Amino acid sequence: MKNHKALYFMLVPGLLYLLVFKYIPLLGSVIAFQDFNVFKGFLKSDWVGFRWFEQFLTFPQFTRLLKNTLIISLYQILFAFPAPIILAVLLNEVRKMAFKRFAQTVLYLPHFLSWVLIGGLSTMLFSQNYGLVNQLIENFGGDKVNFLLDSDYIRTIIVSTGIWKEMGWSAIIFLAALAGINPSLYEAAGIDGAGRFKQFLHVSLPGMMPAIVILLLLKIGHILDNGFEQVYVFLTPATFDKADVLDTFMYRMGIRQSMYSLTTAVGLFKSVVGLALLVIANRFSKKITGEGLY
């Protein structure tokens, strides 16, 4: 430590950030075991044990909430997670740097749009009365479809808009992984007769595997987190049965009805389940691929 004082000193702001904004707020999790009163605070509120956990697990809509959350998360893993990987590989094959930079800029831009704006753009596209998609359907002789108020389409819209918004930004990590691959490996593969696809399978994919595994494990650890804003902008009474998830339930109970103890219990439930899945997935990954978070 004496030889590297400057480096350790540079760690101090990051450690303070984690302490102040991540670890100290964890003390507030005790309100999940209390009948929390904002005037008494968590130091003087009455303890009720696991009452809120029992209430949540026996909630009439618990099964629906958990099912919707898991289905949307699985859709995101199956479709949204591979999208930036494919995009990074395609961008890596572009040889004209001017076009590559232009394409990257255009693909990164949606990341900086708010979900409120994404919701407005989706309304312009999928509205039954004046949406562009329905106008095209009508021009081709079809009947208009109320996509945004049809529960059969809402999950597809949520996941698809998420892919469009985050695909370009998420591809940065995989582009960095591809940039770290030694070019001589591609040259050797080419000499051995490997085409582009074979080079992808035997050079590019193994080179990206550490990044893929780490991000996939983190995604599995957040499988009960769908992103409140992403779902809420599309949520309507007509789509509650397919789009209402744990995050939107926590908003209704915690923010609108001030049931802070209940929503804290839900948050702890999500964290425990996510941690358990992360540990299991990490062990499985280390056995299969040799890569893991720890």
Side-chain angles (χ1 to χ4, degrees), residues 97-292:
M97 294 306 298
F99 176 76
K100 184 176 181 179
R101 293 192 186 99
F102 173 76
Q104 286 178 303
T105 302
V106 172
L107 292 168
Y108 295 165
L109 284 176
H111 169 78
F112 300 98
L113 302 178
S114 70
W115 274 109
V116 175
L117 184 56
I118 300 295
L121 292 173
S122 300
T123 301
M124 294 172 64
L125 283 174
F126 300 112
S127 173
Q128 185 177 18
N129 296 324
Y130 54 85
L132 178 61
V133 174
N134 272 308
Q135 289 182 11
L136 291 174
I137 292 174
E138 190 176 35
N139 290 337
F140 283 99
D143 296 327
K144 290 184 176 181
V145 180
N146 199 347
F147 293 102
L148 297 175
L149 295 179
D150 192 331
S151 59
D152 291 335
Y153 295 99
I154 195 64
R155 290 172 181 164
T156 302
I157 293 174
I158 291 172
V159 175
S160 299
T161 52
I163 293 174
W164 177 76
K165 186 177 187 296
E166 300 295 342
M167 178 175 61
W169 184 257
S170 301
I172 294 175
I173 297 175
F174 300 110
L175 282 170
L178 287 169
I181 299 175
N182 193 331
S184 62
L185 296 176
Y186 290 102
E187 295 175 4
I191 293 172
D192 290 338
R196 288 294 184 186
F197 184 70
K198 290 288 186 180
Q199 290 180 23
F200 165 73
L201 287 179
H202 301 291
V203 180
S204 300
L205 192 58
M208 292 190 295
M209 191 55 67
I212 292 173
V213 170
I214 290 173
L215 292 176
L216 181 58
L217 289 174
L218 292 174
K219 183 65 178 177
I220 291 174
H222 288 278
I223 198 167
L224 295 183
D225 298 320
N226 298 122
F228 167 74
E229 299 92 343
Q230 182 177 356
V231 177
Y232 189 71
V233 294
F234 296 106
L235 191 63
T236 63
T239 58
F240 252 57
D241 60 325
K242 296 288 183 68
D244 191 25
V245 295
L246 291 174
D247 290 333
T248 53
F249 170 77
M250 292 171 66
Y251 166 74
R252 291 197 306 276
M253 296 293 106
I255 304 300
R256 298 176 63 177
Q257 299 188 27
S258 301
M259 299 181 68
Y260 303 117
S261 294
L262 175 61
T263 50
T264 304
V266 177
L268 278 178
F269 169 79
K270 290 170 56 180
S271 299
V272 171
V273 172
L275 178 61
L277 290 175
L278 180 60
V279 172
I280 294 171
N282 187 71
R283 290 184 178 180
F284 183 75
S285 175
K286 293 192 76 172
K287 288 182 180 180
I288 301 299
T289 66
E291 302 288 346

Side-chain angles (χ1 to χ4, degrees), residues 31 34-42 44-46 260-261:
I31 69 176
Q34 298 176 328
D35 187 7
F36 180 70
N37 187 304
V38 292
F39 300 104
K40 294 181 179 180
F42 65 86
K44 295 183 179 180
S45 295
D46 298 328
Y260 303 117
S261 294

